[in-house]
Amino acid sequence: MKMNTVRRIVVAAIGAAIGIPLGALCARVRWVRDTLGVLALGLQTLPSVCWVPLALLWFGIREEAVLFVVVMGTVWAV
C-alpha cells in the first residue's frame, strides 16, 4: 500500500473524529442544532465531487487538494 493511501485513510479518520462529536453536539444542544445543524444539513447534500473545483483553486493539483476533498466529504457526511 502506498504512503498516500495511508495518509488519506488517516485524514478520513480525523474527519470522522471531528464529525462524530459535532453530530452528537447537534443532537444534544438546541442552539448548536439550530446553527451548525442547518449548515451541516446543507453541506450533506453536496457530493464530494463538488469540492474538487474549490480544492483545485485553493491548493492546485497537489495532494493537499485530495486531502481537502476527503475531509470535507467525511466531516459533513458523519
Side-chain angles (χ1 to χ4, degrees):
M1 196 164 23
K2 290 182 131 184
M3 191 59 173
N4 286 342
T5 304
V6 173
R7 185 178 302 144
R8 290 175 190 167
I9 291 171
V10 169
V11 168
I14 291 170
I18 293 169
I20 290 171
L22 284 177
L25 194 62
C26 283
R28 299 216 182 256
V29 181
R30 182 175 175 84
W31 67 270
V32 175
R33 180 176 44 245
D34 291 343
T35 56
L36 186 63
V38 173
L39 175 68
L41 186 63
L43 292 176
Q44 277 179 341
T45 60
L46 288 175
S48 295
V49 145
C50 291
W51 295 108
V52 172
L54 286 175
L56 290 176
L57 285 173
W58 291 339
F59 301 105
I61 302 178
R62 296 188 315 215
E63 181 66 20
E64 289 82 8
V66 175
L67 296 178
F68 174 78
V69 172
V70 169
V71 168
M72 292 308 288
T74 304
V75 168
W76 302 114
V78 173

